[in-house]
Amino acid sequence: MAVERTFVAIKPDGVQRGLIGEILGRFERKGFRLVALKQLIPSVEVAEKHYGVHSERPFFPGLVNFITSGPVVAMVWEGEGVIASARKLIGATKPLEAEPGTIRGDLAVNIGRNVIHGSDGPETARFEIGLWFSPTELNDWTPSDQVWRVEE
Ligand code: DAT
Ligand code: MG
């Protein structure tokens, strides 16, 4: 399985509800590597590009309004198969359909307040990492205990 990078963001509801530590901890404990992290209030321009595929949907204006309403914690996580695995950790888009044990399954009830975003594939991951981060914000590093997570 290839080492990949994915874009993950804790949405304003997750930040406001004090869930940053809880969510970061789940990715850390799983064994993925944090290669970028920042808190920002996204511009409307970034939000509209980020959710561009949904621009014709009726919920789009509300979604952009919500995502720009306060601080977001933007991250890039790295690891084997991290793109699909992060989506599993996050759970289904509708929190009431998300399995217990997933972030949305454990921590959310409403589709419009589902706490977290994760890229849905390799193309999206590349696009979203480039949209939210400059290359100099991404840190290449190897955790000192990596040998206990990954077979060489
Ligand atoms: P995901 O965030 O799981 O990738 P998505 O890409 O289909 O889901 O939609 C992006 C976000 O838009 C989603 O997290 C919440 C919001 N959204 C999606 N469908 C919606 C709907 N029917 N009503 C309100 N918000 C919706
Ligand atoms: Mg999506």
Side-chain angles (χ1 to χ4, degrees), residues 11 50-51 53-54 87 93 104 117-121 124 128:
K11 299 180 184 180
H50 176 79
Y51 282 125
V53 292
H54 298 303
R87 294 280 294 190
T93 305
R104 287 168 172 165
H117 167 85
S119 307
D120 64 7
T124 325
E128 291 174 353

Side-chain angles (χ1 to χ4, degrees), residues 48-83:
E48 286 181 343
K49 284 184 183 161
H50 176 79
Y51 282 125
V53 292
H54 298 303
S55 62
E56 302 304 318
R57 309 287 290 277
F59 59 81
F60 182 72
L63 182 58
V64 170
N65 207 34
F66 164 58
I67 211 76
T68 58
S69 68
V72 163
V73 172
M75 299 167 263
V76 177
W77 288 91
E78 183 179 85
E80 286 184 39
V82 70
I83 299 171

Side-chain angles (χ1 to χ4, degrees), residues 24-108:
L24 288 179
R26 291 182 180 216
F27 284 86
E28 277 191 317
R29 292 198 301 272
K30 174 73 173 169
F32 293 129
R33 239 176 348 276
L34 185 62
V35 299
L37 173 74
K38 63 182 173 187
Q39 186 188 70
L40 75 163
I41 301 177
S43 65
V44 170
E45 188 191 358
V46 165
E48 286 181 343
K49 284 184 183 161
H50 176 79
Y51 282 125
V53 292
H54 298 303
S55 62
E56 302 304 318
R57 309 287 290 277
F59 59 81
F60 182 72
L63 182 58
V64 170
N65 207 34
F66 164 58
I67 211 76
T68 58
S69 68
V72 163
V73 172
M75 299 167 263
V76 177
W77 288 91
E78 183 179 85
E80 286 184 39
V82 70
I83 299 171
S85 181
R87 294 280 294 190
K88 283 195 173 180
L89 291 177
I90 289 168
T93 305
K94 295 179 182 172
L96 296 181
E97 292 176 4
E99 294 295 327
T102 66
I103 291 165
R104 287 168 172 165
D106 289 348
L107 304 175

